[in-house]
Amino acid sequence: MAIKTIPQTPAAVSGPAAAVPAPRAYVIGMPIASAGLWMALLAPAIVVLAIKVSEITTPDTRAGALSLVAGVGAIVALLANPLFGRLSDRTTSRFGMRKPWIIGGALTGLAALFFLGLAGNVAGVMVAWIFAQLGFNAALAALVATLPDQAAPAERGRLSGLIGMTLPIGLVAAAYFAQLFDNAFQMAIVPGITGTVLAIAFAFTFKDRVLTEKPAPLNLKEILGSFYFDPRAFPGLGWAWLTKFMVFIGYCAALLYLPYFFTDQLHVAESAVAGLVFQATLVSSVGTVVTSLIGGWISDRIGKRKVLVIASALIIMIGLIIIATSASTGQVMVGQTVVGLGLGCFGAVDVALITDLLPGNQSENAKTFGVFNIAQALPQSLVPALAFPVIAWGGYSALFIGAAVVGIIGAALVTRIKGVK
């Protein structure tokens, strides 16, 4: 394929033109690499940290230690994705803009998992988890930014659908690997090695864009700018960000408090909660995978994004209401299935919508995707603070219904986006 030089601000870029269909190797390899990176990152998040902290603390202190480690890691993840996305937009390596970050980030994350597995105190676990978050989020930020680099607009919905299904696949794969082993080191390292190998292998399969002019050095204002974009200059992106943020407030409420809903609302024995949460995750993930593919394909076929974003967001909120009104664990599973069906389509079409709204000069694509990652990650930190008074007033049902109302308002904001269908 001929290399096309595209004028950029602040630097020129050469590489494959995104007006042509993405190569088959990219279409196959990108979602596999994404699933691998999610698997490597989620294995510690869902089980390894808890087990590792239990190994090095007492029963009286492990809950607080785990909250500290997980909380610091969440903050690092929140900041790392947009920052490394911005840096990949400005990378002048002769190997390309994204490849160095995919490879370097994955290797950094894997090295951190080795140290995490060997750590003998809470401070060591925290430092290792910080570097794991930095490395894998750098790789994920660069990986997602390859979508507008490599894919023509007419196929971005389909490819976004493939991206959307990688997180639940990574989640289920991480849980599968975790149950194969009996110690935290193996639980972390095996999915870490597997995910890193998949990401690096993918990095050698596509022709990356290359900056042909060196950008000016970043100043403090530009560094801080890695965490936001001006909604006055890009109002469509602003409304899309608010939609994603409010929808994920609804989703995170159920994700974070489902175990307590089982024990406090449905009076399930604590010994049965882990199994029920896994079942709920599994049925939700199956729904997510199915509609990720279908939703992205439909949006490409009909040439419309907004109506599918609205519909899928409303489906998620219907699932939350079903869970909130559940009188049995079976009804919760039905609600989780509905949530998964909506989430898959939302994740696919929302990424395609954002891609269609990106500025035309392509100079900050990864940074913009990173800012949107904040809309997905920030609710995980805000919901616990906001949930306490709601739970005290009306219980977990009130929390889920209130979260659904927030998500419905977020879905309605999509109508404010102009310039795309």
Side-chain angles (χ1 to χ4, degrees):
M1 182 183 299
I3 296 178
K4 179 180 179 181
T5 303
I6 307 171
Q8 296 286 326
T9 303
V13 174
S14 68
V20 299
R24 183 178 296 274
Y26 175 83
V27 173
I28 296 172
M30 185 269 292
I32 292 175
S34 179
L37 289 171
W38 278 120
M39 176 180 62
L41 183 60
L42 290 173
I46 64 174
V47 65
V48 176
L49 286 179
I51 293 175
K52 185 63 184 180
V53 169
S54 293
E55 291 175 352
I56 59 177
T57 59
T58 65
D60 293 337
T61 61
R62 65 184 182 183
L66 179 60
S67 296
L68 177 63
V69 172
V72 171
I75 293 172
V76 171
L78 191 72
L79 300 176
N81 203 283
L83 178 60
F84 286 116
R86 182 71 175 271
L87 292 175
S88 81
D89 283 331
R90 303 170 58 86
T91 297
T92 56
S93 166
R94 64 188 179 89
F95 299 106
M97 302 167 65
R98 317 300 183 194
K99 286 184 180 183
W101 296 99
I102 295 172
I103 297 172
L107 290 174
T108 299
L110 177 60
L113 292 184
F114 272 97
F115 284 105
L116 190 153
L118 297 173
N121 53 55
V122 174
V125 171
M126 181 185 297
V127 171
W129 186 228
I130 286 173
F131 277 94
Q133 289 278 21
L134 288 172
F136 288 127
N137 272 283
L140 284 165
L143 184 73
V144 173
T146 64
L147 178 61
D149 294 348
Q150 303 289 323
E155 62 179 346
R156 288 174 182 170
R158 176 170 59 93
L159 292 177
S160 297
L162 294 175
I163 294 176
M165 62 183 271
T166 61
L167 191 152
I169 288 176
L171 181 63
V172 172
Y176 171 77
F177 275 114
Q179 56 90 35
L180 292 179
F181 305 105
D182 57 4
N183 65 78
F185 183 82
Q186 291 173 316
M187 291 179 184
I189 292 305
V190 174
I193 292 174
T194 304
T196 298
V197 169
L198 291 174
I200 293 175
F202 163 72
F204 288 98
T205 65
F206 73 98
K207 188 173 183 62
D208 201 358
R209 295 168 66 220
V210 178
L211 280 178
T212 58
E213 296 177 10
K214 187 175 182 179
L218 283 173
N219 55 38
L220 179 60
K221 180 179 179 181
E222 290 172 322
I223 292 174
L224 294 176
S226 300
F227 307 104
Y228 72 93
F229 53 79
D230 187 352
R232 295 169 299 179
F234 308 104
L237 287 173
W239 290 117
W241 192 96
L242 278 176
T243 292
K244 194 180 189 87
F245 173 70
M246 297 177 76
V247 168
F248 271 88
I249 282 181
Y251 174 68
C252 286
L255 182 69
L256 295 174
Y257 289 95
L258 187 60
Y260 296 152
F261 182 83
F262 281 131
T263 56
D264 297 355
Q265 195 93 359
L266 300 183
H267 308 294
V268 172
E270 289 191 6
S271 59
V273 168
L276 287 171
V277 170
F278 175 74
Q279 292 175 36
T281 302
L282 185 60
V283 298
S284 176
S285 297
V286 170
T288 300
V289 169
V290 170
T291 55
S292 290
L293 296 172
I294 296 175
W297 178 78
I298 291 175
S299 74
D300 284 341
R301 293 281 295 188
I302 67 176
K304 296 181 179 180
R305 314 289 194 200
K306 293 194 295 184
V307 65
L308 289 174
V309 169
I310 294 171
S312 57
L314 292 178
I315 290 171
I316 297 172
M317 301 313 140
I318 291 170
L320 286 181
I321 294 172
I322 292 173
I323 296 171
T325 58
S326 292
S328 67
T329 58
Q331 189 174 342
V332 172
M333 297 305 164
V334 172
Q336 282 289 118
T337 302
V338 174
V339 168
L341 291 171
L343 186 65
C345 184
F346 180 85
V349 185
D350 178 65
V351 171
L353 175 65
I354 295 165
T355 303
D356 289 345
L357 291 168
L358 289 173
N361 63 21
Q362 303 182 23
S363 62
E364 296 188 340
N365 284 349
K367 173 247 182 170
T368 303
F369 274 117
V371 175
F372 271 90
N373 186 68
I374 294 176
Q376 183 171 332
L378 185 59
Q380 299 177 44
S381 301
L382 290 181
V383 166
L386 300 174
F388 181 76
V390 179
I391 295 170
W393 170 70
Y396 294 102
S397 291
L399 173 65
F400 294 167
I401 291 174
V405 171
V406 173
I408 291 169
I409 295 172
L413 295 180
V414 177
T415 60
R416 305 285 297 176
I417 297 174
K418 308 299 182 184
V420 296
K421 294 182 179 181

